[in-house]
Amino acid sequence: MTDQQLTSVIEQRKSKRGGEREGAGRKRRMEEHEIIAKLQPFANEAFAVLRKKVLEGDIKALQIYMNYYVGLPTQKIESKIEGQLNQVQIEVIKPNVQMLEEATN
C-alpha cells in the first residue's frame, strides 16, 4: 500500500468520527420555543387527561403529578469506605533537657 493510499484510508476513517451531525446536540432556543408553541393548544386537554387519571387512581399518573407538583424527594446517598493501612510503628524520641543543658555548659 502506498503512502497516498494509506493517507486516503486514514482520511476516510477520520471523516466518520465525531464532528457535526444532523440532529445531534441540544436544540436551539428558537426551536424549543417553536415546539412549545406548537404543543400549547394541547395543554388543557393534557392536563384534563392527567387529572382524570389521577382521580381514577392511576399510579403512574399520580407519580407524574407528584413529581411536578411536590418535586422529587431528596435522595440519600450512602457510601462506605473500607480499607487498611499498613501497620507502621512510629516512635518519637524527645531529647533529655538536662543532658542538653549539661552539654552546652
Side-chain angles (χ1 to χ4, degrees):
M1 189 177 280
T2 66
D3 287 342
Q4 273 187 333
Q5 290 173 336
L6 183 60
T7 304
S8 67
V9 169
I10 291 171
E11 290 300 320
Q12 286 175 353
R13 288 185 181 170
K14 280 186 180 179
S15 68
K16 295 179 183 178
R17 294 187 208 158
E20 189 173 323
R21 291 182 304 278
E22 185 68 31
R26 184 182 169 163
K27 303 276 187 231
R28 293 189 204 125
R29 288 199 185 273
M30 288 303 295
E31 290 178 25
E32 287 178 0
H33 291 297
E34 289 172 5
I35 292 171
I36 291 170
K38 288 179 183 177
L39 294 175
Q40 187 64 37
F42 305 110
N44 290 336
E45 289 85 5
F47 288 123
V49 170
L50 180 61
R51 181 178 189 277
K52 179 183 171 190
K53 290 289 187 181
V54 167
L55 292 174
E56 289 175 0
D58 186 343
I59 296 297
K60 192 66 177 173
L62 188 58
Q63 285 176 340
I64 291 171
Y65 174 77
M66 294 304 286
N67 285 345
Y68 283 96
Y69 186 72
V70 176
L72 293 174
T74 304
Q75 296 180 351
K76 183 178 179 182
I77 300 174
E78 294 183 23
S79 63
K80 186 175 182 181
I81 300 173
E82 291 183 9
Q84 290 183 340
L85 296 174
N86 292 338
Q87 293 182 357
V88 178
Q89 186 175 0
I90 299 174
E91 186 176 333
V92 178
I93 302 172
K94 294 183 181 179
N96 189 339
V97 178
Q98 283 181 340
M99 291 178 77
L100 287 175
E101 289 176 358
E102 291 174 4
T104 56
N105 289 335

